[in-house]
């Protein structure tokens, strides 16, 4: 490079790194022409080692890259990173602890500005040891043992809003098909369901709450229970449970929403937007979780209250709710 430009190595270094040294315009132009002719690219890794930082952000995930709707976490994080001049390095470990440790080690070697650590469903985690060496934000998960910033979906407000969609249509006997799997989603959505009933002046009836397998089979198996309660509206823990409920009602010659109104949760569009009728639901804000995670990592958003930053789960009204034919 220096030989091609007819200048010293130090002159090339000053021009390439834009150090502000006094270099004549003619020498600068010769260096720039040599850079273009030779196709030179700066060694970003070497510069990172000298400066102690980089324009990279890391994202370590257990499975979100392979789950259609949760992959939006990566999309949101990547868009926000680009907006602020950073490139996102993504490692999808599929829950393999050895791969996870290697990914974190590689990112530390690249002097990443910080690391987002994400899980494909909202849960508490044990913080991987390597993350103690970097600025870290947890996304869609949280740690009870370490004061690490976390960004999670607002499960309780989402549960309240899902139930409120039924309340707003005049439903008074509203059932809730919750998951039997312990999780923040189970507890938060139940709390939100109860809040909506209380705000509407409706009594909480434990017989209207059933814990089911959180999938299509669970919803299908719950149909007889729902009919026995004389519920006119049902809030389902997720869209897969709602899909099973649709199937069970159809097998009994009952229809959504004229006989029973149904609300789901997650907004898995491959399900919710393609059921007949289309399913009213509440969206898990995966894109926004990724975006806000980057903003917290870069110090653009500050978590002011103790505990995780809760991101709103927006309602997605469709065609599965109508006013009850009976009260």
């Amino acid at each position: 490079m220096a030989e091609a430009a007819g200048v010293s190595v130090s002159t090339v270094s000053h021009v390439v790194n834009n150090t502000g040294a006094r270099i004549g315009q003619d020498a600068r132009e010769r260096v720039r022409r040599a850079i273009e002719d030779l196709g030179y690219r700066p060694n970003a890794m070497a510069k990172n080692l000298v400066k102690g930082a980089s324009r990279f952000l890391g994202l370590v995930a257990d499975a979100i890259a392979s789950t259609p709707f949760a992959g939006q976490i990566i999309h949101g994080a990547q868009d926000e990173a680009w907006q602020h001049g950073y490139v996102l390095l993504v490692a999808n470990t599929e829950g393999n602890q050895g791969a996870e440790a290697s990914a974190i080690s590689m990112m530390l070697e690249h002097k990443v500005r910080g690391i987002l650590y994400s899980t494909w469903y909202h849960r508490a985690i044990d913080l991987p040891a390597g993350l103690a060496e970097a600025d870290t934000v947890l996304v869609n998960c949280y740690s009870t043992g370490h004061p690490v910033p976390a960004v999670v979906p607002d499960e309780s407000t989402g549960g309240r809003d899902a139930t409120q969609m039924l309340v707003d249509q005049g439903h008074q006997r509203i059932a809730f098909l919750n998951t039997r799997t312990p999780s923040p989603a189970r507890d938060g959505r139940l709390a939100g369901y109860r809040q909506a009933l209380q705000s509407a002046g409706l009594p909480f009836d434990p017989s209207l709450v059933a814990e089911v397998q959180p999938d299509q089979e669970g919803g299908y198996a719950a149909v007889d229970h729902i009919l026995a309660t004389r519920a006119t509206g049902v809030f389902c823990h997720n869209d897969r449970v709602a899909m099973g409920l649709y199937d069970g009602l159809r097998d009994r010659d009952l229809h959504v929403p004229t006989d029973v109104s149904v609300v789901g949760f997650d907004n898995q569009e491959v399900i919710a937007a393609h059921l007949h009728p289309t399913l009213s639901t509440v969206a898990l804000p995966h894109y926004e979780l990724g975006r806000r995670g980057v903003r917290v990592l870069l110090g653009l958003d500050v978590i002011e209250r103790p505990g995780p930053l809760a991101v709103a789960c927006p309602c997605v009204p469709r065609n599965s709710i109508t006013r009850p034919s009976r009260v």
Side-chain angles (χ1 to χ4, degrees):
M1 176 79 70
E3 184 177 351
V7 297
S8 68
V9 173
S10 63
T11 296
V12 171
S13 177
H14 285 305
V15 174
V16 168
N17 293 298
N18 195 25
T19 63
R22 293 184 177 181
I23 306 295
Q25 189 61 32
D26 179 65
R28 286 184 182 276
E29 288 300 325
R30 294 203 306 273
V31 171
R32 288 172 183 144
R33 283 197 298 270
I35 288 172
E36 185 175 343
D37 293 342
L38 297 174
Y40 169 77
R41 291 177 181 271
N43 187 327
M45 183 64 182
K47 291 174 70 175
N48 293 343
L49 291 173
V50 170
K51 295 181 178 180
S54 74
R55 303 303 291 180
F56 292 133
L57 300 178
L59 190 153
V60 178
D62 62 354
I64 62 174
S66 58
T67 55
F69 65 101
Q72 286 294 309
I73 290 176
I74 295 175
H75 190 189
Q78 184 170 266
D79 284 354
E80 190 68 21
W82 272 113
Q83 187 172 339
H84 300 287
Y86 288 89
V87 174
L88 194 68
L89 301 178
V90 179
N92 186 46
T93 67
E94 296 295 338
N96 183 302
Q97 290 188 347
E100 179 178 274
S102 295
I104 293 171
S105 177
M106 177 272 292
M107 290 176 181
L108 294 174
E109 288 173 7
H110 279 74
K111 301 289 184 180
V112 293
R113 166 65 179 78
I115 296 175
L116 301 177
Y117 182 88
S118 185
T119 55
W120 78 271
Y121 71 93
H122 181 192
R123 60 187 174 90
I125 64 160
D126 294 323
L127 196 70
L131 293 180
E133 299 180 42
D135 290 341
T136 300
V137 174
L138 305 179
V139 177
N140 208 33
C141 56
Y142 61 95
S143 172
T144 56
H146 298 83
V148 179
V151 180
V152 300
D154 191 341
E155 304 281 8
S156 61
T157 302
R160 183 197 67 196
D161 291 346
T163 309
Q164 190 64 43
M165 283 196 278
L166 293 163
V167 170
D168 288 345
Q169 286 296 316
H171 291 272
Q172 297 183 20
R173 289 193 64 76
I174 301 170
F176 178 31
L177 295 181
N178 202 1
T179 178
R180 59 170 62 109
T181 305
S183 65
R186 182 181 73 167
D187 297 342
R189 294 173 197 181
L190 175 60
Y193 165 79
R194 298 188 67 159
Q195 289 168 15
L197 295 180
Q198 183 177 20
S199 296
L202 299 174
F204 172 70
D205 182 349
S207 72
L208 287 169
V209 177
E211 292 188 349
V212 302
Q213 187 174 321
D215 55 22
Q216 188 173 1
E217 289 73 18
Y220 188 91
V223 173
D224 288 337
H225 173 79
I226 293 299
L227 297 178
T229 66
R230 295 182 55 79
T232 62
V234 184
F235 165 33
C236 298
H237 175 78
N238 62 33
D239 296 343
R240 290 174 296 154
V241 170
M243 180 166 58
L245 182 61
Y246 268 53
D247 292 342
L249 291 169
R250 187 180 303 113
D251 284 354
R252 291 158 177 80
D253 294 323
L254 297 172
H255 302 90
V256 176
T258 52
D259 292 305
V260 179
S261 290
V262 180
V263 176
F265 206 110
D266 288 353
N267 194 34
Q268 286 188 260
E269 289 205 15
V270 69
I271 297 174
H274 298 285
L275 287 173
H276 298 284
T278 54
L279 177 66
S280 297
T281 187
V282 172
L284 281 172
H286 289 104
Y287 181 92
E288 189 66 10
L289 290 173
R291 193 183 77 83
R292 296 293 294 275
V294 168
R295 292 186 63 81
V296 171
L297 188 60
L298 296 179
L300 301 171
D301 287 350
V302 178
I303 301 178
E304 297 179 348
R305 298 178 180 178
L309 172 66
V311 176
C313 301
C315 291
V316 185
R318 293 192 178 97
N319 300 311
S320 62
I321 307 174
T322 191
R323 297 193 67 81
S325 58
R326 54 186 168 81
V327 177

